Amino acid sequence: MARRWLKFFGFMLMLLPWHAHALLTIEITGGSEAALPIAIVPFGEEGVIPPEDISEIIRNNLQSSGRFAPLAKSDLISRPHEQSQVNFADWRLLRSEGLVIGKVTSQDGENYQVQFQLFDVYRGTQMAGKRYQVPVSGLRNLGHQISDLIYEALTGDVGVFSTRLAFVTVQRTADGARRFALQISDADGANPRTILQSAQPIMSPRWSPDGEQLAYVSFENGNSEVFVQQLRSGDRRSIAAFDGVNSAPSWSPDGKRLALTLSRTGSPELYILELSNGELTRVTHNSQSIDTEPVWMPNGRELVFTSDRGGRPQIYKIPVDGGRATRLTFEGNYNASPDISPDGRKMAMVHAVGGRYYIAVQDLRSGAVQVLTEQGRDESPSFAPNGRMILYATEQNGRGVLAAVSVDGRIHQRLAESGIQVREPAWSPLRK
Amino acid sequence: MKLLKLSAMMLAAVWMAGCSSTAKKDGEVEGADRVVVEDRSITSGVSGDGVDGSDFGTEASVIAGDGSFRGRGFDDPSSPLSQRVVYFEFDSSAVRAEDQHILEAHAAYLGANPNVTVRLEGHTDERGSREYNLALGERRAISIRQALMLQGAGMNQFRVVSFGEERPAVEGSGEGVWQQNRRVEIIYTGR
């Protein structure tokens, strides 16, 4: 009885700060029929009850990925916490292919011992299992790490539940002014924190390959200006503040250079900035056209970018040491905002058809284009670091929201938010 | 009718500029019809895009004065100098024919007052890539600078800034909103 009240109280506590705690929550708006049935048994709890429900975090993560169909809790035949308590025949009856069990123990409420096991129900064998010691503050993230291991064991793809998102929010203050914020959150939208606030627009956040820094564009000094900010210390420095446009930063795969767009010569051109010494190398020489939005190929030898050199915005590729640009997009009269999958095989982009803007993916070898979204107000695509999902910005009821779609277009997620404008998402690299 | 417009514009320009440069301006007015603005971009054929925005132009251009530039021409709604916002078609940086007289007036004023400086702020509507729009906003502002320079203003009188789609004049969606956001604001900053 006391425990029930404690749980109820805990639930109330969760409700109260919900808007501050979870800026975004993932809803599946369209799933795959191929979702894998999996049983996730609520973890056993010994000693001090943990403030985070790890098995619930795992359930939410796997469910929201669209690739799993967790059994309803009411359908769980039994609630084993250890392997000796598992009767695989029961779980086969439920047609569950995977079974996750675990236990959380703490004597003091400060440090927790957590163990989990993933079983192949049909073979009756363990596929993954681990034991951890974490401080109470690490419980949530541990839930994401375990989700990653389960996801990888069952799908063969790297899990991205313990990665992060960066995005820009816009809010109105009481006097009607706009307030811009650059924020980062966990991949499920929880735990948002503001890393920069400004009365002037903020654009184009991009993660460094080590996940320790963000490059972005800020108008705080009356013109576009590129900054690089350390996430741990908050230290930031301006790295491009020339006359004209200073924009579109993109980290080289080794994190040592930044491609960006500068119009200091009078037209927007691509440059590469050596971060160690500030040396600038110009890549494009096309004063009649807009050349912008560079993104590196994973090989570090080429940039993919948007240009209207052919009359309308299309996507091109050019060697980083200059040379001839080759056009990549030929379908439709507006293709922009390229992002390249980590394996270098696919390109996500904004693709306009009849005045509507969709997220599309192009196979870089065959050139085949697949339109992935339907809303028509979609922009800023960003690949997940496992290349399976594409995060993007769209609109819902006139408000900017974030959404994600699988590269095959079958799984759609929306990151529902709590009433403010959210845009310009960037998915972090994998945690090292 | 057109002559009437031109003379009204001239009158305003003369008011602002003083009498010394009247002769020079006569030449400019004669050449006004030949003003060509460099533009390579293609106007979209999307229907509904070509809505006449002149009502908005007049309405939105009655913006708050810039403090130091309160004067007959800047505050008088009948003077083209009171119009300090020019509008564009979708994905275009071409000056529209109906805005030529506004630019002629500003060029005349700037030409006659070489110490006066302006900031040209380029903006776009919200559609499409934010980064591309940032570049497009700059192209619009440069297109206006080009037009003003061809009519007598000096290069060093300008500062060009683009905000892309980041600072809309009007929030919301739909062509009625978008056409008010595809603009260059002419902001007098010092004399």
Side-chain angles (χ1 to χ4, degrees):
Chain A
M1 187 64 189
R3 192 187 153 104
R4 252 179 78 187
W5 276 107
L6 203 68
K7 274 211 158 154
F8 177 69
F9 187 62
F11 175 68
M12 290 301 291
L13 273 181
M14 267 176 61
L15 273 187
L16 290 175
W18 187 245
H19 284 280
H21 182 65
L23 182 69
L24 312 161
T25 49
I26 298 181
E27 313 159 5
I28 293 278
T29 52
S32 159
E33 322 77 60
L36 189 81
I38 185 167
I40 299 157
V41 179
F43 283 12
E45 293 168 353
E46 285 175 18
V48 183
I49 293 168
E52 300 277 3
D53 185 339
I54 288 187
S55 49
E56 194 61 23
I57 293 171
I58 296 169
R59 161 188 292 275
N60 285 339
N61 281 340
L62 295 182
Q63 169 109 44
S64 72
S65 76
R67 297 179 75 178
F68 294 90
L71 293 189
K73 275 189 211 168
S74 54
D75 289 344
L76 299 176
I77 283 180
S78 59
R79 301 208 166 188
H81 300 138
E82 289 173 19
Q83 187 165 1
S84 59
Q85 301 164 335
V86 174
N87 180 355
F88 287 108
D90 290 350
W91 301 101
R92 280 179 208 130
L93 275 178
L94 292 173
R95 302 190 187 287
S96 165
E97 301 202 11
L99 169 68
V100 177
I101 64 169
K103 205 160 66 175
V104 182
T105 314
S106 178
Q107 305 310 319
D108 54 10
E110 299 282 327
N111 289 292
Y112 284 83
Q113 294 81 52
V114 179
Q115 64 177 64
F116 88 94
Q117 287 171 287
L118 164 68
F119 297 106
D120 178 328
V121 168
Y122 287 90
R123 289 191 178 143
T125 54
Q126 179 177 315
M127 298 178 76
K130 237 174 165 171
R131 198 175 300 215
Y132 306 84
Q133 286 267 3
V134 288
V136 62
S137 62
L139 281 170
R140 189 169 182 85
N141 199 40
L142 180 61
H144 293 317
Q145 282 182 41
I146 294 173
S147 305
D148 284 341
L149 291 175
I150 294 168
Y151 182 92
E152 186 164 2
L154 291 171
T155 68
D157 291 321
V158 177
V160 293
F161 301 113
S162 55
T163 58
R164 290 164 290 169
L165 312 178
F167 45 86
V168 174
T169 62
V170 192
Q171 277 180 292
R172 285 258 174 223
T173 58
D175 59 356
R178 290 193 302 169
R179 179 166 292 261
F180 298 84
L182 177 56
Q183 299 197 305
I184 58 176
S185 76
D186 296 347
D188 61 357
N191 198 16
R193 48 260 189 225
T194 297
I195 73 156
L196 180 75
Q197 274 198 60
S198 176
Q200 296 302 324
I202 301 169
M203 282 175 71
S204 302
R206 296 290 183 271
W207 294 86
S208 64
D210 64 4
E212 298 280 335
Q213 304 171 79
L214 279 180
Y216 56 84
V217 177
S218 168
F219 288 79
E220 65 200 58
N221 295 319
N223 187 24
S224 53
E225 186 171 347
V226 181
F227 289 83
V228 168
Q229 182 165 336
Q230 302 281 340
L231 293 178
R232 277 173 212 273
S233 65
D235 290 346
R236 61 198 289 261
R237 64 184 174 117
S238 166
I239 56 122
F242 300 98
D243 275 350
V245 164
N246 302 271
S247 200
S250 170
W251 298 83
S252 63
D254 63 8
K256 292 177 178 165
R257 289 166 292 169
L258 214 52
L260 71 174
T261 301
L262 305 175
S263 69
R264 57 185 194 148
T265 59
S267 67
E269 306 285 352
L270 307 188
Y271 290 78
I272 291 172
L273 174 72
E274 193 75 41
L275 285 165
S276 61
N277 60 12
E279 195 179 286
L280 272 175
T281 310
R282 185 167 163 180
V283 179
T284 57
H285 297 80
N286 199 331
S287 64
Q288 297 302 301
S289 69
I290 289 172
D291 293 337
T292 189
E293 300 189 305
V295 56
W296 296 75
M297 289 297 286
N299 64 19
R301 293 195 296 271
E302 294 151 314
L303 295 175
V304 170
F305 66 103
T306 305
S307 175
D308 73 341
R309 57 186 62 197
R312 297 279 305 166
Q314 295 290 351
I315 298 171
Y316 295 76
K317 186 166 79 171
I318 192 168
V320 291
D321 45 11
R324 208 185 161 80
T326 48
R327 183 168 162 178
L328 299 178
T329 50
F330 295 93
E331 274 190 40
N333 64 2
Y334 190 111
N335 292 292
S337 305
D339 193 33
I340 304 295
S341 65
D343 64 7
R345 291 184 179 173
K346 289 187 188 313
M347 175 169 71
M349 61 194 178
V350 171
H351 174 74
V353 182
R356 303 189 67 75
Y357 297 78
Y358 303 97
I359 304 302
V361 68
Q362 179 165 332
D363 185 295
L364 286 175
R365 262 183 297 186
S366 71
V369 174
Q370 186 185 357
V371 177
L372 302 178
T373 60
E374 292 173 354
Q375 212 274 350
R377 305 288 308 278
D378 311 321
E379 60 185 37
S380 308
S382 171
F383 268 103
N386 65 357
R388 295 290 309 191
M389 300 291 291
I390 297 165
L391 181 66
Y392 63 97
T394 184
E395 275 192 15
Q396 186 182 9
N397 305 323
R399 184 179 290 146
V401 296
L402 304 186
V405 61
S406 60
V407 282
D408 60 8
R410 291 203 298 204
I411 300 167
H412 291 262
Q413 299 174 338
R414 182 161 343 128
L415 284 79
E417 41 71 47
S418 54
I420 59 173
Q421 300 267 5
V422 188
R423 61 202 199 191
E424 300 226 68
W427 207 317
S428 84
L430 295 171
R431 276 199 203 259
K432 297 279 175 345
Chain B
M1 179 64 195
K2 182 157 194 186
L3 216 91
L4 203 71
K5 242 180 156 178
L6 282 179
S7 6
M9 181 275 296
M10 270 302 301
L11 223 71
V14 170
W15 271 339
M16 295 309 301
C19 299
S20 61
S21 53
T22 309
K24 191 176 146 218
K25 264 191 232 88
D26 280 336
E28 278 167 10
V29 170
E30 277 169 21
D33 286 342
R34 295 198 305 273
V35 168
V36 177
V37 175
E38 185 185 79
D39 175 52
R40 306 172 323 96
S41 61
I42 298 156
T43 303
S44 158
V46 177
S47 70
D49 227 0
V51 177
D52 187 334
S54 53
D55 285 348
F56 291 112
T58 321
E59 202 176 283
S61 63
V62 188
I63 52 175
D66 302 308
S68 56
F69 286 91
R70 289 194 183 281
R72 253 193 186 136
F74 284 101
D75 288 340
D76 175 3
S78 70
S79 161
L81 285 175
S82 74
Q83 299 188 25
R84 293 189 288 278
V85 185
V86 288
Y87 298 90
F88 296 83
E89 302 302 331
F90 175 67
D91 200 19
S92 167
S93 55
V95 175
R96 303 188 307 183
E98 63 259 44
D99 288 337
Q100 291 286 3
H101 75 286
I102 301 174
L103 298 182
E104 284 159 14
H106 286 284
Y109 180 76
L110 288 167
N113 297 275
N115 294 329
V116 170
T117 55
V118 295
R119 185 169 75 241
L120 298 174
E121 278 189 11
H123 301 268
T124 71
D125 69 31
E126 62 175 353
R127 291 175 290 171
S129 155
R130 288 177 183 273
E131 285 289 356
Y132 181 79
N133 283 342
L134 186 62
L136 179 60
E138 183 181 63
R139 180 185 275 170
R140 284 178 177 161
I142 287 174
S143 156
I144 296 302
R145 182 181 68 186
Q146 189 84 358
L148 293 171
M149 283 170 59
L150 281 169
Q151 297 172 75
M155 179 76 170
N156 57 3
Q157 289 178 277
F158 297 103
R159 178 160 183 246
V160 163
V161 174
S162 175
F163 287 95
E165 64 177 275
E166 308 303 318
R167 281 168 63 162
V170 181
E171 298 220 9
S173 292
E175 181 51 31
V177 166
W178 292 329
Q179 66 182 330
Q180 296 179 74
N181 291 333
R182 297 188 296 263
R183 70 201 192 277
V184 167
E185 298 188 8
I186 303 168
I187 299 166
Y188 282 79
T189 52
R191 46 170 133 204

